[in-house]
Each structure stands twice: as structure tokens, then as C-alpha cells.
Amino acid sequence: MKEYFYFFSSITTAMRGEAVLKNNGYRAFVFRDGTINTHGCGYIIKVKGEEEKITTLLQKAGVRFSEVREV
């Protein structure tokens, strides 16, 4: 299973994304790193799984992210 970073421009959006993923059985963690994520406040969700499924969950919930990178 691959691991991904999802990049967010605010802590509020990142926390909403984390909640959506956790409610769907994913182990997701929000953290801040301005050197990795230079978009907005620098918040990132780290999550393992299939990128397509994770992205679809976030999009259906209306959680907007700026970028996805494989770790």
C-alpha cells in the first residue's frame, strides 16, 4: 500500500479531510511543514491507501486540496 501527502491551504480544511478519511477507515494524520508544503499555511495529511479512492472520498465530501504527492 502506498503512502501519500495531500496538501491543504488551511488547518480547517486539513482537519475536515482527516475526519472524512478516518470515518472511512483510513489512518490519516495532519501535520504542518512549510518546507514541504508552501501552499498557504503548509498543512499536510499523510495517509496510506489507493490514491484514487482517497481523492474521490475527499472530493465527494467537498474537501479541497491543492496537490497530492506519493511519499
Side-chain angles (χ1 to χ4, degrees):
M1 205 175 301
K2 294 183 181 180
E3 198 165 39
Y4 297 94
F5 284 160
Y6 281 77
F7 296 82
F8 297 86
S9 60
S10 74
I11 183 64
T12 306
T13 308
M15 290 175 69
R16 282 184 48 227
E18 179 186 40
V20 167
L21 294 173
K22 284 184 174 182
N23 288 338
N24 284 278
Y26 289 93
R27 291 185 62 196
F29 304 94
V30 173
F31 67 99
R32 183 171 188 238
D33 189 330
T35 61
I36 297 173
N37 182 4
T38 56
H39 305 285
C41 297
Y43 289 95
I44 301 166
I45 290 179
K46 183 177 181 180
V47 61
K48 284 185 181 182
E50 294 180 39
E51 181 184 0
E52 190 175 310
K53 288 182 180 181
I54 296 166
T55 298
T56 300
L57 279 173
L58 293 173
Q59 289 174 338
K60 283 185 177 181
V63 179
R64 298 173 68 187
F65 54 90
S66 56
E67 185 182 344
V68 181
R69 284 190 209 159
E70 187 176 335
V71 179

